[in-house]
Amino acid sequence: MRSPILLALAASSALAVQVTTVFNFTSAIDIENSELRTNGHLLLTTFEKGQLYTLDLNAADPQAELVAALPGATALCGITTIAEDKYAVIGGVRGSYHYYNETIYTVDFSKDATNPVILKAARLPDAIMLNGMAALPKLPHVVLAGDARRGLIFRIDTTTGAYKVAFEDELLNAPSNASIPIGVNGLKVVGNNVYFTNSARNIYAKIPISDDAETFGDVQIINTLDSTTDDFDDFIVDSNGVAYVSQPTNKIAQIQPDGSRKVYVGGDGSKISSPTSVQIASDGYAYMTSGGGSVVKFKLPPGTTLASGEV
Ligand SMILES: *[C@@H]1O[C@H](CO)[C@@H](O)[C@H](O)[C@H]1NC(C)=O
Ligand SMILES: *[C@@H]1O[C@H](CO)[C@@H](O)[C@H](O)[C@H]1NC(C)=O
Ligand SMILES: *[C@@H]1O[C@H](CO)[C@@H](O)[C@H](O)[C@H]1NC(C)=O
C-alpha cells in the first residue's frame, strides 16, 4: 500500500513537465521560428544576419549548423514545408516594427540534404511585417502568410511568385493604441481552418477556408488572454486540435478546441524562457525555440501527434 506522502509526491511530480535543453547558441541569437525535417533535423530561423540553421535532434550532442544566410535578408521569420524536404522561409530587412524587402525564399534540400537550392520565390514590396506562414495541405506550394502590421493574410504561390491579399480583418491587426503594434503572429493551416494568434489583441482564433484558400469565412475566437503584460506568440496544433501556444512570460499554454486553456509548461519563470515557437515531433516530445537562443524539449501527453493537415 502506498503512503499518503508518496501519493502526494506522485501527484505533484505528475504535474511538473520536465524540460531538457537540447542546444544553446553560445551567444544570444534570437531564434524566431522552426520546422521539423523528415530526417529528424529542426530548421531554425533567426534574427541573426538572415541565418538559417539545421539542428540534428538525433545526434548525441546536437549542434546547430549554418545552412545559409538568405541573400538580402537580415532577419528570418515564418517557415513551412512546401514539398518533401523543401521549405518556404520569410526573410526581410528588419527595421523598427517594419521590414523592408519582404521576400519568400524557397530552401530545397530534396536533391542535396546539406547544400540546398535557395531561391527568391516571391517579393512582397507592400508587406510590412510578415510573421507566421503555413502551406495549404491540399496545395502545399501555396502558402498563407500573416502581416502583423497590415492586419491581413497574403496568399502566395511559391512556384510562380504571384501573391495577393487573401483576407483582411480587424482581428488580424493591432489596435491603434496597442503598446506593441504586432497583430497576427503565429499562423497554421489544419484541414479547412487557418489558426492564428494576434499578439496585440491577445487572441487565439481560427478562420474557415476553402482547400485553395480563395474563400475565407468569419474569424472565430477560441481563447482570449486577459492580461496587459502577456500575449500569445507562435504555436502548434496536434491531431486532436489541441494547441500549444508560446507566451512571452515563459509559459506554454495548452488550449483545447473548446477554448479552455491551462499552463502546460513554465509559469514560474525558471523552467523555460522566451518561447518563440513549438514543434511536435514523432518521439512524443515538443521542441521549443527561444528568443534567447536555445532549443528545449518537453514531453507531450501520451499519443500526441502532429495534426495531419500540417505539412
Ligand atoms: C544553456 O544555457 C542555459 C542558460 O545559460 C544553461 O542553464 C544550460 O545549462 C545550457 N545548456 C546547455 C546544454 O548548454
Ligand atoms: C532592398 O533591396 C534593394 C535591391 O536589392 C537594395 O538596393 C536595398 O538597399 C534594400 N533595402 C534595404 C532597406 O536594405
Ligand atoms: C485601447 O482602446 C480600447 C478601446 O477604447 C481599450 O479597451 C483598451 O484598454 C486600450 N488599450 C490600451 C493598451 O490602451
Side-chain angles (χ1 to χ4, degrees), residues 21-52:
T21 302
V22 176
F23 168 74
N24 270 352
F25 279 107
T26 49
S27 58
I29 287 186
D30 261 327
I31 307 175
E32 170 60 13
N33 219 316
S34 56
E35 181 77 347
L36 278 165
R37 295 172 62 185
T38 40
N39 67 0
H41 284 221
L42 188 66
L43 287 169
L44 308 171
T45 66
T46 74
F47 283 173
E48 184 72 16
K49 305 185 188 96
Q51 290 173 345
L52 177 71

Side-chain angles (χ1 to χ4, degrees), residues 1-85:
M1 203 179 105
R2 300 168 81 186
S3 75
I5 289 170
L6 284 176
L7 283 176
L9 280 173
S12 68
S13 63
L15 287 175
V17 175
Q18 208 61 40
V19 178
T20 311
T21 302
V22 176
F23 168 74
N24 270 352
F25 279 107
T26 49
S27 58
I29 287 186
D30 261 327
I31 307 175
E32 170 60 13
N33 219 316
S34 56
E35 181 77 347
L36 278 165
R37 295 172 62 185
T38 40
N39 67 0
H41 284 221
L42 188 66
L43 287 169
L44 308 171
T45 66
T46 74
F47 283 173
E48 184 72 16
K49 305 185 188 96
Q51 290 173 345
L52 177 71
Y53 286 85
T54 191
L55 179 69
D56 182 358
L57 300 176
N58 299 321
D61 178 21
Q63 296 296 325
E65 292 160 49
L66 180 66
V67 172
L70 300 192
T74 64
L76 308 181
C77 292
I79 177 166
T80 187
T81 304
I82 56 170
E84 178 74 27
D85 219 7

Side-chain angles (χ1 to χ4, degrees), residues 17-306:
V17 175
Q18 208 61 40
V19 178
T20 311
T21 302
V22 176
F23 168 74
N24 270 352
F25 279 107
T26 49
S27 58
I29 287 186
D30 261 327
I31 307 175
E32 170 60 13
N33 219 316
S34 56
E35 181 77 347
L36 278 165
R37 295 172 62 185
T38 40
N39 67 0
H41 284 221
L42 188 66
L43 287 169
L44 308 171
T45 66
T46 74
F47 283 173
E48 184 72 16
K49 305 185 188 96
Q51 290 173 345
L52 177 71
Y53 286 85
T54 191
L55 179 69
D56 182 358
L57 300 176
N58 299 321
D61 178 21
Q63 296 296 325
E65 292 160 49
L66 180 66
V67 172
L70 300 192
T74 64
L76 308 181
C77 292
I79 177 166
T80 187
T81 304
I82 56 170
E84 178 74 27
D85 219 7
K86 181 177 178 181
Y87 308 87
V89 181
I90 292 169
V93 176
R94 192 174 178 221
S96 178
Y97 298 110
H98 192 144
Y99 283 71
Y100 302 89
N101 292 350
E102 287 283 48
T103 302
I104 308 296
Y105 298 84
T106 51
V107 179
D108 184 357
F109 294 94
S110 64
K111 294 201 175 56
D112 184 332
T114 47
N115 294 300
V117 176
I118 296 172
L119 296 174
K120 289 185 181 181
R123 295 159 208 264
L124 288 77
D126 48 345
I128 302 180
M129 188 191 271
L130 299 179
N131 197 316
M133 176 168 63
L136 300 181
K138 298 248 167 76
L139 223 53
H141 67 285
V142 175
V143 297
L144 298 180
D147 189 318
R149 295 304 309 280
R150 291 194 56 198
L152 51 78
I153 293 172
F154 285 108
R155 180 189 189 279
I156 305 133
D157 184 322
T158 61
T159 307
T160 63
Y163 75 95
K164 66 177 183 183
V165 173
F167 185 71
E168 195 163 4
D169 194 286
E170 200 179 68
L171 292 175
L172 292 166
N173 71 19
S176 53
N177 63 350
S179 46
I180 297 174
I182 298 180
V184 55
N185 191 324
L187 184 152
K188 302 280 181 235
V189 178
V190 182
N192 282 95
N193 284 291
V194 45
Y195 290 81
F196 70 93
T197 52
N198 179 321
S199 295
R201 293 187 185 272
N202 288 7
I203 57 168
Y204 169 64
K206 68 175 179 182
I207 319 166
I209 56 167
S210 58
D211 284 349
D212 59 5
E214 293 286 0
T215 311
F216 282 65
D218 292 329
V219 179
Q220 300 161 22
I221 296 174
I222 299 168
N223 186 270
T224 303
L225 191 60
D226 187 16
S227 168
T228 51
T229 53
D230 203 356
D231 56 66
F232 290 142
D233 199 320
D234 214 295
F235 62 95
I236 194 85
V237 184
D238 80 5
S239 56
N240 295 317
V242 179
Y244 293 87
V245 188
S246 308
Q247 290 180 229
T249 51
N250 306 331
K251 292 192 281 269
I252 299 289
Q254 183 193 56
I255 304 180
Q256 300 292 334
D258 69 4
S260 58
R261 182 185 77 235
K262 68 169 194 177
V263 174
Y264 188 74
V265 182
D268 58 5
S270 59
K271 290 184 200 144
I272 57 168
S273 68
S274 316
T276 52
S277 74
V278 196
Q279 294 296 319
I280 294 173
S282 53
D283 60 2
Y285 282 89
Y287 288 81
M288 183 204 98
T289 59
S290 92
S294 63
V295 176
V296 303
K297 68 174 182 179
F298 53 85
K299 257 213 149 57
L300 289 165
T304 303
T305 53
L306 186 64

